[in-house]
């Protein structure tokens, strides 16, 4: 568009943003499969899937531009999966009944990101974009009420830099790492968004967190992150735990194996509770059900926090089908297993390999063990229809904003939203904003506002380095993560949240007194990077708990134990809580000011989600 | 399998211009279930507690897809296992009492930043020289299905496109050549009709930039293919060579 752009990322190359890890796919209402899909249907599914806590207008626009995204990516050279006719292939994904998901094997995010990266590098080559990798944004500078630049730290030299701009776009991803363990990359952080919040941008629905049901369980205290196993596994895998407590205990003690448990003694709890959707219920429902069984003592690994994802039945079923196709009469059990294993391997081979590599156990022979893990944050900076925050000139895109997914995100729709924001929304809205600024000359970074922001950052770094504390940063991060997971995770209640707030304050206080950060400010210093991020998580965590405490209902990923139906399902309170909670920073993490944006539904009728 | 004692020998270098050296770090109590990087996390945690400078190394996704991790372990890029990155390597690959050498990528175009972290900016500059389709972002596009692409071509393009830009190929190559990396991108885009029109220009521009960055020549040793965590095939180098040859001949 002819703007001069400076782009920043903390990795050593823009090609490594965490979008690269997205596996399953991206939705678009193309209706190539002619199975009744439409813009309206995608819109409707997204609003319903979000448990009626998203803005209708935004979601409708998202559904409208979804088809353009696919065309754009194809034009960039993204190698989507194709069928033998050479046309784009689709699959059904994430609890919807149409095939609208486009994919590139299990690496859709990688291919979409590399497409965007190549377009970016083209602009870098032309000199239109200046790329600052290994740079971390540490503050937004606001001048006369408008965002006018940022302060960033050069992570190689440690230099603190000022960059002036007429508008600032924050596209910094999600904050799932507030839980310490999540499926996010190690560097994912809330710092840029949080600093924007402290400079006046409201934070929307911080408590809405998505916990993904199929991740590899924690193996020990050394665990640094969790790995997602694609949701597509639930299409063929059956989830179960032993029906008898003594069997579960024997398994945990290593005295029995999953295969020792007779069919009649297995509890396929999703099929039992949700006969219509079975193992394919949405993520929030599947995750809570796993937690419920494990809390009741039926977990199947040493820590008691794992359930089985079993392909035994699928292997048998596929094996028999194959035998039929190959006209093998009366196939032996071994033959059926052999044929079925080949089919399962063809479909999910790379995932099975990944599992075996991490866990060291062959998932064709032994049922996989899985457990829910933090995956995505629906909350984020509050933005208007133009993706502008409450600070003029400060925009927010992608997972970092709160828009579109309400209280729960459906599979394959984060990539859709991020690319919609970046390719088809912001080019129009930012131009609109800049039109009024056309006569503003270059931004002078010597202004006192830049001076003050830089001084504040340098002071904070100085404090961290000269603190002479005794404990490494990760100690505090782990403690925070445990509080968040136990009390603001899959299930929450008022008492737990109040305790969590007190505990987080305590950890924060200890952090500033006792954290030890080695090394110097003017060098490549990964401990210092971590410390800055954890300091911000320690404030965000408190706001998440406050938001969860304020929302006296259950909706989507936010499950308050006090508000459930007699069958244990989430109970919304539309009369009192059909609003976006937009929190304003007032100088102290515990004293945020709540603003409510009412949600009105003109198109979609609010109903209780049911997957029975 | 019980916990292990290991003797690590790790490259320490305080900055780009400093002289580096291998240093010994005995570690105890390494669980076979840890990943290699988690084992380094534990070591770093201990170093910080002793007020020593922890070891700098690059990593981010820790699931083998971002391409950030980059360790040369016992003389092999990404360590002894095939088809995986450093972050996917688990300690059950090693035995109690093993000595493990850990070094950064060593290649002149990848200078060391600190300890085990190197600067791979040269890859970005090669990409900026031509690793793209010249298309602007707009709402006026042809439909994604307007141009059918034979499944075989789409699959081959995908295989090439899985390169994660880690640089193991360069670190492994005795000549420090970046041919496998460049070939993967050139091959992906030239296999697709969208990328075809600029195929010649792209091959010339990317190779020219590669030479400018100081990468060595390809002498077909094939070491890169073996160490590449994404098993990018040498076939792509052959395709790049063809594109390049045609481009130079038709340029005259
Ligand atoms: C394992 C996994 C699988 C997933 N699978 C799917 C899927 O199949 N389909 C789907 O639709 N979604 C999926 N998602 C979700 C989706 O991938 C993400 O929500 C989405 O990619 C986020 O994109 P983003 O551009 O907002 O953020 P990111 O891709 O995380 O990019 C953030 C960028 O901001 C930069 N940055 C961050 N902080 C700073 C700072 N302080 N200073 C400077 N730069 C900074 C980073 O360097 C990075 O470049 C998955 C997520 C995970 C974790
Ligand atoms: S070709 Fe292989 S080794 Fe080289 S950068 Fe790509 S993924 Fe890494
Ligand atoms: S850390 Fe991302 S590939 Fe290893």
């Amino acid at each position: 568009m002819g703007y001069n752009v400076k782009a920043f990322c903390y990795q050593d190359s823009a090609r490594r943003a965490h979008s690269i890890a997205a596996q399953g796919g991206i939705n678009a209402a193309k209706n190539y499969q002619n199975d009744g899909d439409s813009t309206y249907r995608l819109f409707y599914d997204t609003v319903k899937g979000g448990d009626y806590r998203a803005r209708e207008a935004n979601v409708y626009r998202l559904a409208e531009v979804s088809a353009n995204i696919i065309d754009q990516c194809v034009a960039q050279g993204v190698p989507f999966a194709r069928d033998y006719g050479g046309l784009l292939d689709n699959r059904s994904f994430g609890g919807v009944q149409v095939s609208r998901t486009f994919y590139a094997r299990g690496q859709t995010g990688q291919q979409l990101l590399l497409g965007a990266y190549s377009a970016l590098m083209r602009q870098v080559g032309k000199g239109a974009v200046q790329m600052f990798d290994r740079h971390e944004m540490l503050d937004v500078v606001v001048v006369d009420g408008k965002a006018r630049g940022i302060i960033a730290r050069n992570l190689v030299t440690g230099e603190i830099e000022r960059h002036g701009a007429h508008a600032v776009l924050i596209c910094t991803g999600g904050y799932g790492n507030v839980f310490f363990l999540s499926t996010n990359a190690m560097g994912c952080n809330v710092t840029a968004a949080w600093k924007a919040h402290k400079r006046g941008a409201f934070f929307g629905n911080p408590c809405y967190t998505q916990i993904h049901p199929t991740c590899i369980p924690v193996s020990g205290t050394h665990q640094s992150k969790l790995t997602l196993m694609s949701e597509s596994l639930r299409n063929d895998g059956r989830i179960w735990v032993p029906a008898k407590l003594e069997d579960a205990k024997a398994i945990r003690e290593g005295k029995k194996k999953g295969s020792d448990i007779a069919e009649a003694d297995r509890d396929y709890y999703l099929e039992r509770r949700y006969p219509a959707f079975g193992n394919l219920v949405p993520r929030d429902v599947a995750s809570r059900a796993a937690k419920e069984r494990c809390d009741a003592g039926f977990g199947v690994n040493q820590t008691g926090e794992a359930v089985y994802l079993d392909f035994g039945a699928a292997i048998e079923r596929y094996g028999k089908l194959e035998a039929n196709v190959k006209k093998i009469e009366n196939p032996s059990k071994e033959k059926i297993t052999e044929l079925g294993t080949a089919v399962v391997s063809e479909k999910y081979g790379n995932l099975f390999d990944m599992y075996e590599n991490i866990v060291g156990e062959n998932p064709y022979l032994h049922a996989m063990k899985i457990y829910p893990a933090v995956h995505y944050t629906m909350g984020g900076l509050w933005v208007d229809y133009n993706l502008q925050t409450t600070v003029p000139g400060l925009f927010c895109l992608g997972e970092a904003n709160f828009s579109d997914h309400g209280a729960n995100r459906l599979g394959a729709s984060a990539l859709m939203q991020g690319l919609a924001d970046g390719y088809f929304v912001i080019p129009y809205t930012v131009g609109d904003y800049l039109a009024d600024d056309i006569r503003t000359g270059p931004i002078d970074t010597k202004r006192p506002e830049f001076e003050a922001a830089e001084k504040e950052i340098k002071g904070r770094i100085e404090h961290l380095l000269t603190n002479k504390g005794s404990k490494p940063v990760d100690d505090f991060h782990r403690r925070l993560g445990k509080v968040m997971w136990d009390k603001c995770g899959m299930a929450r209640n008022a008492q737990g949240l109040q305790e969590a707030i007190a505990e987080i304050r305590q950890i924060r206080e200890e952090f500033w007194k006792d954290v030890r950060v080695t090394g110097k400010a003017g060098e490549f210093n990964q401990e210092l990077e971590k410390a800055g991020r954890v300091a911000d998580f320690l404030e965000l965590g408190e706001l998440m708990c406050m938001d969860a405490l304020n929302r006296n209902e259950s909706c989507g990923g936010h499950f308050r134990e006090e508000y459930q139906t007699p069958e244990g399902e989430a109970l919304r309170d539309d009369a009192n809580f059909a609003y976006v909670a937009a929190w304003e920073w007032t100088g102290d993490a515990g004293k945020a000011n709540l603003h409510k944006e009412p949600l009105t539904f003109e198109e979609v009728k609010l109903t209780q989600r049911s997957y029975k | 399998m019980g916990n292990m004692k290991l003797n690590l020998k790790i490259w320490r270098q305080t900055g780009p211009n400093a002289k580096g050296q291998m240093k010994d770090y005995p570690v105890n109590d390494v669980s076979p279930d840890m990943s290699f990087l988690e084992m380094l996390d534990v070591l770093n945690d201990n170093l910080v507690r002793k007020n020593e400078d922890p070891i700098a190394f690059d990593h981010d996704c820790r699931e083998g897809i971002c391409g950030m991790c980059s360790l040369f372990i016992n003389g092999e890029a990404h360590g002894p296992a095939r088809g995986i990155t450093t972050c996917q390597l688990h300690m059950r690959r090693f035995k109690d009492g093993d000595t493990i050498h850990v070094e950064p990528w060593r290649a002149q175009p990848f200078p060391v930043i600190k300890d085990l972290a190197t600067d791979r900016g040269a890859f970005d500059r090669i990409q900026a020289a031509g690793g793209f389709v010249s298309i602007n972002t707009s709402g006026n596009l042809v439909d994604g299905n307007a141009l059918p692409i034979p499944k075989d071509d789409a699959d081959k393009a995908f295989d090439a496109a899985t390169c994660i830009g880690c640089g193991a190929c360069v670190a492994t190559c005795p000549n420090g050549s970046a041919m496998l990396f460049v070939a993967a991108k050139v091959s992906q885009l030239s296999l697709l009709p969208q990328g075809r029109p600029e195929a010649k220009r792209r091959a010339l521009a990317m190779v020219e930039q590669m030479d400018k960055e100081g990468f060595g020549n390809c002498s077909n040793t094939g070491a890169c293919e073996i160490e590449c965590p994404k098993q990018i095939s040498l076939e792509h180098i052959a395709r790049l060579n063809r594109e390049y040859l045609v481009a130079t001949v038709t340029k005259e």
Side-chain angles (χ1 to χ4, degrees):
Chain A
M1 304 231 160
Y3 305 131
N4 294 314
V5 177
K6 290 181 173 182
F8 298 79
C9 72
Y10 70 78
Q11 295 94 342
D12 71 335
S13 163
R15 66 178 294 144
R16 310 204 200 281
H18 196 52
S19 291
I20 202 130
Q23 302 172 349
I26 176 167
N27 289 331
K30 279 281 200 186
N31 195 26
Y32 281 157
Q33 307 305 325
N34 199 15
D35 53 5
D37 200 11
S38 64
T39 300
Y40 186 83
R41 189 154 179 187
L42 174 55
F43 154 74
Y44 182 90
D45 284 349
T46 308
V47 173
K48 177 185 175 205
D51 222 354
Y52 311 99
R53 290 294 174 262
R55 233 187 246 150
E56 271 192 345
N58 281 55
V59 178
Y60 196 78
R61 175 179 63 191
L62 174 67
E64 273 181 322
V65 301
S66 66
N68 287 346
I69 298 172
I70 302 303
D71 300 337
Q72 177 68 36
C73 296
V74 168
Q76 286 169 349
V78 169
F80 282 117
R82 298 203 169 240
D83 60 24
Y84 285 101
L87 301 179
L88 292 159
D89 197 17
N90 292 116
R91 60 182 169 203
S92 137
F93 193 76
V96 294
Q97 279 138 339
V98 290
S99 278
R100 64 160 73 103
T101 304
F102 293 77
Y103 65 100
R105 237 168 274 172
Q107 278 141 271
T108 318
Q110 178 194 30
Q111 294 310 318
L112 295 175
L113 177 73
L114 293 182
Y117 163 75
S118 68
L120 171 67
M121 294 322 278
R122 174 167 168 252
Q123 298 301 328
V124 170
K126 285 189 189 174
V129 176
Q130 225 183 323
M131 191 68 221
F132 294 82
D133 35 42
R134 291 202 198 262
H135 274 68
E136 183 163 28
M137 169 176 168
L138 295 178
D139 211 349
V140 187
V141 181
V142 178
V143 179
D144 299 333
K146 291 180 172 180
R148 287 304 195 197
I150 68 163
I151 308 282
R153 179 166 179 271
N154 177 329
L155 300 180
V156 176
T157 63
E159 214 171 315
I160 303 296
E161 301 171 359
R162 307 177 187 182
H163 297 272
H166 295 93
V168 176
L169 275 56
I170 297 189
C171 324
T172 47
Y175 51 81
N177 275 350
V178 66
F179 291 86
F180 186 69
L181 290 179
S182 81
T183 63
N184 283 4
M186 301 300 286
C188 289
N189 66 88
V190 76
T191 292
W194 191 251
K195 294 300 172 51
H197 174 56
K198 292 173 93 166
R199 294 281 176 200
F202 292 0
F203 211 104
N205 298 332
C207 82
Y208 291 162
T209 310
Q210 179 162 84
I211 316 261
H212 198 292
T214 55
C215 301
I216 298 179
V218 174
S219 77
T221 49
H222 55 262
Q223 192 94 26
S224 61
K225 75 153 281 170
L226 295 168
T227 304
L228 176 79
M229 298 297 289
S230 169
E231 188 153 36
S232 60
L233 291 172
R234 285 202 278 145
N235 288 328
D236 280 314
R238 295 179 73 194
I239 295 177
W240 65 277
V241 291
K244 294 187 194 146
L245 273 174
E246 62 267 26
D247 281 344
K249 189 157 169 274
I251 291 174
R252 283 199 294 275
E253 288 166 355
K255 291 181 191 145
K256 273 191 182 171
K257 288 206 202 75
S259 49
D260 298 334
I261 310 298
E263 199 54 36
D265 293 331
R266 299 179 177 191
D267 176 15
Y268 295 92
Y269 56 88
L270 288 176
E271 298 169 26
R272 168 169 60 79
R273 288 178 63 179
Y274 308 98
F277 277 68
N279 294 296
L280 294 176
V281 292
R283 294 173 178 178
D284 52 339
V285 179
S287 293
R288 269 197 302 278
K291 175 177 158 59
E292 191 276 328
R293 283 292 80 189
C294 292
D295 287 352
F298 294 94
V300 296
N301 70 352
Q302 278 160 2
T303 62
E305 296 200 325
V307 299
Y308 287 124
L309 175 64
D310 198 334
F311 285 81
I315 288 177
E316 195 181 320
R317 181 163 42 89
Y318 285 124
K320 284 185 181 155
L321 280 174
E322 276 295 292
N324 240 335
V325 172
K326 296 206 159 100
K327 308 235 176 337
I328 305 175
E329 271 177 52
N330 294 327
S332 65
K333 203 167 177 310
E334 288 72 38
K335 191 70 196 171
I336 292 176
T337 306
E338 183 197 314
L339 293 170
T341 302
V343 176
V344 168
S345 158
E346 170 75 15
K347 287 181 98 159
Y348 308 110
N350 60 337
L351 295 168
F352 276 54
D353 291 350
M354 184 168 95
Y355 179 89
E356 180 163 9
N357 180 47
I358 294 176
V359 179
E361 198 174 77
N362 181 340
Y364 294 103
L365 302 179
H366 306 280
M368 280 183 188
K369 289 181 210 121
I370 53 158
Y371 199 66
V374 173
H375 179 57
Y376 183 88
T377 48
M378 280 74 71
L381 291 183
W382 183 92
V383 287
D384 63 13
Y385 190 68
N386 290 343
L387 303 182
Q388 186 166 236
T389 67
T390 46
V391 177
L394 183 66
F395 296 80
C396 187
L397 287 66
E399 189 174 339
N401 73 25
F402 89 107
S403 71
D404 299 5
H405 305 298
N408 176 51
R409 175 177 73 74
L410 290 177
S413 54
L415 295 170
M416 170 173 73
Q417 179 233 327
L419 293 181
D421 287 359
Y423 288 163
F424 298 116
V425 179
I426 204 73
Y428 305 99
T429 62
V430 88
D432 193 42
Y433 172 79
L434 290 174
D436 293 336
D437 243 337
I438 201 132
R439 275 179 242 299
T440 316
I443 305 300
D444 177 12
T445 57
K446 293 202 187 67
R447 293 187 58 111
E449 292 87 352
F450 279 90
E451 187 77 44
E454 180 179 321
K455 200 166 152 224
E456 205 180 309
I457 288 168
K458 286 188 165 157
R460 181 159 126 145
I461 292 176
E462 183 64 20
H463 175 97
L464 288 169
L465 289 167
T466 54
N467 189 32
K468 300 219 163 48
S470 68
K471 298 196 186 79
V473 178
D474 281 350
D475 271 24
F476 299 93
H477 197 178
R478 266 200 198 89
R479 277 172 64 193
L480 170 67
K482 182 154 172 28
V483 172
M484 295 301 292
W485 180 244
D486 290 345
K487 298 182 173 162
C488 194
M490 272 186 280
R492 302 135 180 211
N493 62 53
Q495 192 198 337
L497 289 165
Q498 272 151 356
E499 288 164 12
I501 290 171
E503 288 166 35
I504 294 169
R505 283 189 190 156
Q506 177 68 28
I507 302 171
R508 194 163 66 223
E509 198 176 305
E510 285 177 40
F511 173 86
W512 285 107
K513 274 200 206 120
D514 198 25
V515 70
R516 172 183 290 175
V517 182
T518 49
K520 296 190 283 288
E523 63 174 4
F524 189 68
N525 187 337
Q526 293 171 314
E527 286 297 308
L528 181 60
E529 291 169 31
K530 278 198 286 189
R533 293 170 193 158
V534 171
D536 295 331
F537 282 139
L538 282 165
E539 290 176 353
L540 166 76
E542 182 169 350
L543 184 66
M544 289 170 72
C545 293
M546 278 173 57
D547 187 40
L549 189 57
N550 167 69
R551 193 165 281 278
N552 289 317
E553 65 161 351
S554 294
C555 58
H558 168 67
F559 188 78
R560 280 280 302 272
E561 287 165 346
E562 304 96 314
Y563 308 100
Q564 48 181 309
T565 64
E567 297 88 44
E569 304 302 332
L571 189 62
R572 285 199 325 268
D573 177 356
D574 294 329
N576 294 305
F577 288 95
Y579 65 76
V580 175
W583 297 89
E584 178 189 4
W585 175 263
T586 58
D588 182 298
K591 299 209 181 76
N593 208 352
L594 175 63
H595 299 260
K596 299 177 184 175
E597 180 201 342
L599 292 167
T600 46
F601 295 88
E602 289 165 15
E603 284 295 327
V604 178
K605 204 170 129 272
L606 278 65
T607 53
Q608 159 98 33
R609 286 192 310 162
S610 168
Y611 297 94
K612 285 201 187 299
Chain B
M1 206 158 140
N3 282 0
M4 303 177 277
K5 269 190 179 164
L6 299 168
N7 182 25
L8 299 172
K9 292 182 180 293
I10 301 179
W11 182 258
R12 301 302 312 255
Q13 180 173 339
T14 52
N17 303 316
K19 228 180 117 230
Q21 56 170 347
M22 297 298 280
K23 265 190 85 172
D24 284 350
Y25 295 93
V27 288
N28 302 326
D29 226 19
V30 175
S31 150
D33 287 332
M34 285 179 180
S35 72
F36 197 87
L37 297 185
E38 283 169 348
M39 183 271 298
L40 289 182
D41 289 342
V42 173
L43 170 59
N44 274 346
D45 190 88
N46 287 331
L47 291 177
V48 172
R49 283 178 209 278
K50 288 193 279 183
N51 235 335
E52 288 176 37
D53 202 22
I55 297 147
F57 61 91
D58 273 329
H59 64 101
D60 201 27
C61 74
R62 297 208 176 183
E63 49 188 82
I65 193 75
C66 74
M68 191 105 178
C69 63
S70 41
L71 300 182
F72 214 67
I73 301 164
N74 283 344
E76 288 186 272
H78 295 304
R82 293 287 160 266
I84 60 169
T85 54
T86 302
C87 61
Q88 293 173 296
L89 179 65
H90 277 71
M91 296 315 292
R92 64 180 80 88
R93 267 266 166 189
F94 299 90
K95 292 192 310 293
D96 190 33
D98 275 359
T99 297
I100 307 177
H101 296 254
V102 190
E103 293 170 81
W105 282 176
R106 297 202 190 273
Q108 182 241 318
F110 293 164
V112 170
I113 291 172
K114 188 179 175 186
D115 300 336
L116 305 169
T118 57
D119 177 357
R120 289 167 287 186
F123 272 10
D124 283 332
R125 292 188 291 274
I126 295 177
Q127 185 100 17
F132 45 76
V133 176
S134 295
I135 158 99
N136 291 331
T137 307
S138 78
N140 305 318
L141 291 150
V142 292
D143 187 85
N145 263 348
L147 269 179
I149 303 176
K151 183 169 171 17
D152 202 35
D153 288 352
D155 285 351
K156 270 200 206 126
F158 175 84
D159 286 340
T162 56
C163 162
I164 55 173
C166 63
C169 45
V170 175
T172 299
C173 177
N175 313 323
S177 165
M179 275 298 266
L180 196 61
F181 166 77
V182 175
K185 196 44 55 188
V186 166
S187 196
Q188 173 205 341
L189 295 177
S190 69
L191 280 161
L192 297 171
Q194 290 80 10
R196 227 22 261 170
E198 322 170 67
K200 291 184 204 162
R201 223 186 101 230
R202 177 179 309 114
L204 287 176
M206 289 181 81
V207 169
E208 189 189 338
Q209 186 65 33
M210 172 177 83
D211 292 342
K212 232 190 258 169
E213 298 287 347
F215 291 100
N217 290 324
C218 171
S219 56
N220 282 315
T221 65
C224 53
E225 184 188 39
I226 297 169
E227 296 295 346
C228 170
K230 298 294 146 183
Q231 301 179 308
I232 303 289
S233 149
L234 287 177
E235 229 179 84
H236 299 295
I237 296 191
R239 188 169 293 108
L240 165 60
N241 282 335
R242 277 200 301 279
E243 292 290 349
Y244 186 75
L245 187 70
V246 175
T248 31
V249 172
T250 50
K251 201 173 87 175
E252 310 304 314

